[in-house]
């Protein structure tokens, strides 16, 4: 009896100790957040940074799907504008067939690009025309900054699709109130003001201008249209199986629901003849 009491007493002490540790950690963290928020001075980056605009996308929601025409327009924007600086190292040329391009179009596009290779005779690095099985080649950028690879950008940023579209449409002159409230804040000589970027300054100049590309489907190529199209395309590069995942998900959910109902009815049938014992 005394041994059982000792075990229970020790268990209670351990539980209390764990509870106290959790409460202390929570309280200390809350105090740190509150105190830092009160003591940390306001900054231009905090006051003037904007959250992404919320756009309507064809692939939103459980029944949403990619719009192939929009993806093709976005790919055109990437190829003619963004590809000069940004790579797509996780995308193979043959993946473009998912956008509705046929095998011949994919082969022709791949062949128009030079990919790295090794000379079989001299073993020296060389290049050759791409094949559908090759991946988009790395972009050697000679300017300032280090342009990121865009393959997973829509996943690498919070609310990535809206973030990309907002960023590309967000270039503007720095408002006068920024310097009025924060006289020490200044955009670097090589920077461009954009309130959707974390520090308000981008090394990349505004990449898009109205009419910069000519869409095959006749859509007017405004800055907003191109921004949304390339944002949708980069969402596809980050999650090319989105449509298939949604198509698979619904049958699985329906099957699980059916299996749950079947299991419940089976349980009722099996235990129907078993009467509970009466006490007393």
């Amino acid at each position: 009896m005394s041994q059982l009491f000792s075990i229970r007493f020790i268990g209670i002490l351990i539980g209390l100790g764990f509870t106290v540790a959790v409460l202390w950690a929570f309280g200390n963290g809350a105090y740190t957040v509150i105190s830092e928020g009160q003591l940390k001075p306001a900054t231009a980056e905090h006051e003037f940074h904007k959250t992404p605009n919320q756009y309507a996308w064809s692939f939103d929601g459980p029944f949403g799907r990619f719009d192939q025409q929009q993806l093709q327009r976005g790919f055109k924007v990437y190829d003619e504008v963004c590809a000069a600086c940004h790579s797509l190292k996780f995308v193979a040329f043959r993946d473009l067939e998912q956008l509705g391009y046929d095998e011949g179009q994919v082969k022709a596009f791949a062949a128009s690009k030079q990919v790295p290779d090794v000379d079989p005779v001299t073993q020296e690095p060389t290049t050759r025309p791409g094949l559908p099985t090759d991946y988009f080649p790395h972009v050697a950028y000679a300017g300032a900054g280090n342009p990121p690879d865009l393959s997973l950008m829509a996943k690498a940023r919070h609310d990535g699709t809206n973030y990309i579209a907002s960023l590309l449409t967000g270039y503007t002159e720095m408002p006068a109130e920024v310097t009025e409230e924060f006289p020490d804040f200044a955009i670097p000589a090589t920077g461009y003001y954009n309130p959707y970027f974390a520090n308000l300054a981008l090394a990349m100049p505004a990449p898009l201008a109205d009419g910069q590309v000519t869409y095959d489907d006749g859509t007017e190529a405004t800055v907003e249209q191109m921004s949304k199209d390339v944002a949708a395309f980069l969402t596809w590069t980050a999650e090319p199986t989105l449509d298939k995942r949604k198509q698979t998900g619904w049958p699985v959910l329906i099957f699980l629901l059916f299996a749950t109902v079947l299991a419940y009815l089976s349980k009722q049938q099996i235990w129907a003849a078993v009467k509970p014992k009466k006490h007393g």
Side-chain angles (χ1 to χ4, degrees), residues 106-176:
V106 172
K107 284 184 177 180
F109 178 78
S112 71
K113 306 297 181 181
Q114 292 293 312
V115 299
D117 201 355
V118 176
D119 189 293
V121 178
T122 65
Q123 299 301 308
E124 293 292 328
T126 184
T127 60
R128 59 168 173 78
L131 299 172
T133 52
D134 291 319
Y135 284 75
F136 279 68
H138 174 71
V139 177
Y141 183 71
N146 184 26
D149 181 88
L150 297 181
S151 305
L152 304 177
M153 187 56 66
K155 288 293 186 182
R157 299 292 183 268
H158 174 68
D159 198 13
T161 309
N162 288 314
Y163 167 79
I164 294 170
S166 299
L167 186 76
L168 292 174
T169 58
Y171 286 90
T172 182
E173 293 292 329
M174 186 169 65

Side-chain angles (χ1 to χ4, degrees), residues 40-50 177-178 181-182 193 195 198 200:
K40 190 175 180 179
T43 62
E45 291 84 352
H46 179 267
E47 294 296 323
F48 289 93
H49 177 255
K50 292 183 179 180
E177 52 263 34
V178 176
E181 294 185 32
F182 302 94
Y193 182 80
L200 308 182

Side-chain angles (χ1 to χ4, degrees), residues 7-64:
I7 293 174
R8 289 181 175 177
F9 182 72
I10 293 172
I12 291 172
L13 289 179
I14 293 174
L16 286 175
F18 178 76
T19 302
V20 170
V22 170
L23 290 175
W24 180 85
F26 176 79
N28 186 60
Y31 172 77
T32 301
V33 170
I34 294 173
S35 60
E36 286 184 355
Q38 292 175 341
L39 298 176
K40 190 175 180 179
T43 62
E45 291 84 352
H46 179 267
E47 294 296 323
F48 289 93
H49 177 255
K50 292 183 179 180
T51 57
N53 298 316
Q54 298 301 302
Y55 297 98
W57 304 99
S58 65
F59 45 85
D60 281 340
F63 297 101

